[in-house]
Amino acid sequence: MLKIDNLTVRAQEKEILKDLDLFIDDGEIHVLMGPNGTGKSTICKALLNHPDYEIVKGTITFNDEVLNNKSTTEISRKGIFLLSQNPIEVEGISNSEMLRNAISEKTNERVDIFKFNKKLNTVCDIISMPKEFVHRDINFNMSGGEKKKNELLHLFMLEPKFIILDEIDSGLDVDALKVVGSSLKKYYDMYNPAILIVTHHADILKYFDDYKVHVLGNGKIVQSGDKTLAKSIEIDGFKANVIGGSEINE
């Protein structure tokens, strides 16, 4: 589904990613781990073609279509969805208004209000969100945990096939993490999407059964493995789990 080939990305005249390769098939879960400053979030920005991040060389291909020169809107319409660690606040536009318009843009059809409201209520139950949140402005005056639930609401309503989780577990307490993790697992079981999880810790990973782990260092993948690699990192840290060790700058 996704192929990142020999990707080099620059921001503010500094190369952050260097000759990065990553391949993700339909239904696969891949995890990117690494200390701060190794380029994890830069991958997320590059995948959505953030204007502050320049692709110097290499290609990003999604379902056999090169995304390098696509706008963020075009990329999202192809079924790529980013759950951000710091979702933006949009005052004056409610979740319900945004989602109705987004679904209409996606399907090129008028939204059936009865079916739309029925699905909203179902999703609110799944993610343990108060139903009145659908009428609140997007992420406005919400706590960190509420914003993460709000992002989950958007996820379930828009039904993307490729999901990027950019440190979705950041700032969550134990109860909020449980809701987010179990909700993501339910979504995976329902729709079998491909998922790219960017994280520092292994806490969010316990909600998934099978995944591949990649450790990022100095802008490239320096070690890959299965779930045992994530568990080892959680216990011993990054340097102890990367061959050569010097590739990781903490």
Side-chain angles (χ1 to χ4, degrees), residues 12 17 29 34 53 59 112 133 143 156 196 210 221 226:
Q12 297 179 346
L17 300 180
I29 300 174
Y53 292 77
T59 55
D112 183 310
F133 269 57
S143 67
F156 273 87
L196 176 62
D210 187 36
I221 292 173
D226 58 17

Side-chain angles (χ1 to χ4, degrees), residues 30 32 36 39-48 50 53 81-87 148 151 163-172 180 184 195-200 204:
H30 287 241
L32 280 176
N36 287 329
K40 299 187 303 299
S41 290
T42 297
I43 294 177
C44 303
K45 300 292 196 304
L47 286 172
L48 273 297
H50 191 291
Y53 292 77
F81 187 94
L82 170 67
L83 280 87
S84 173
Q85 59 177 308
N86 294 307
K148 300 294 173 63
E151 293 281 278
I163 305 169
I164 307 165
L165 307 178
D166 184 12
E167 297 188 24
I168 191 69
D169 49 351
S170 175
L172 296 182
V180 170
L184 288 168
I195 304 178
L196 176 62
I197 302 174
V198 175
T199 185
H200 289 288
I204 192 71

Side-chain angles (χ1 to χ4, degrees), residues 103-248:
I103 292 171
S104 180
E105 284 281 327
K106 177 182 175 182
T107 63
N108 291 317
E109 296 178 357
R110 184 178 179 181
V111 174
D112 183 310
I113 296 299
F114 176 78
K115 292 181 179 178
F116 175 79
N117 287 334
K118 184 178 180 180
K119 184 174 181 180
L120 271 178
N121 289 333
T122 300
V123 172
C124 285
D125 289 337
I126 292 174
I127 65 176
S128 301
M129 171 184 273
K131 293 179 174 58
E132 57 267 23
F133 269 57
V134 303
H135 303 297
R136 288 182 59 176
D137 292 352
I138 302 169
N139 296 321
F140 186 67
N141 283 339
M142 293 186 183
S143 67
E146 288 172 340
K147 288 180 179 180
K148 300 294 173 63
K149 286 186 179 181
N150 216 38
E151 293 281 278
L152 290 172
L153 173 68
H154 302 166
L155 171 71
F156 273 87
M157 292 300 295
L158 296 173
E159 300 180 12
K161 289 296 292 179
F162 187 88
I163 305 169
I164 307 165
L165 307 178
D166 184 12
E167 297 188 24
I168 191 69
D169 49 351
S170 175
L172 296 182
D173 60 27
V174 174
D175 292 333
L177 179 64
K178 183 176 180 180
V179 171
V180 170
S182 60
S183 297
L184 288 168
K185 180 60 166 62
K186 288 176 182 176
Y187 187 89
Y188 183 77
D189 291 340
M190 291 169 65
Y191 299 105
N192 194 39
I195 304 178
L196 176 62
I197 302 174
V198 175
T199 185
H200 289 288
H201 308 291
D203 291 345
I204 192 71
L205 304 181
K206 66 183 179 182
Y207 295 94
F208 299 97
D209 299 321
D210 187 36
Y211 48 85
K212 299 178 181 180
V213 178
H214 311 282
V215 180
L216 211 61
N218 293 340
K220 63 179 67 176
I221 292 173
V222 294
Q223 179 77 306
S224 295
D226 58 17
K227 61 171 63 178
T228 59
L229 176 57
K231 293 177 181 178
S232 182
I233 288 171
E234 192 73 6
I235 296 171
D236 300 319
F238 289 106
K239 285 189 175 181
N241 287 279
V242 178
I243 296 173
S246 60
E247 294 287 354
I248 293 289

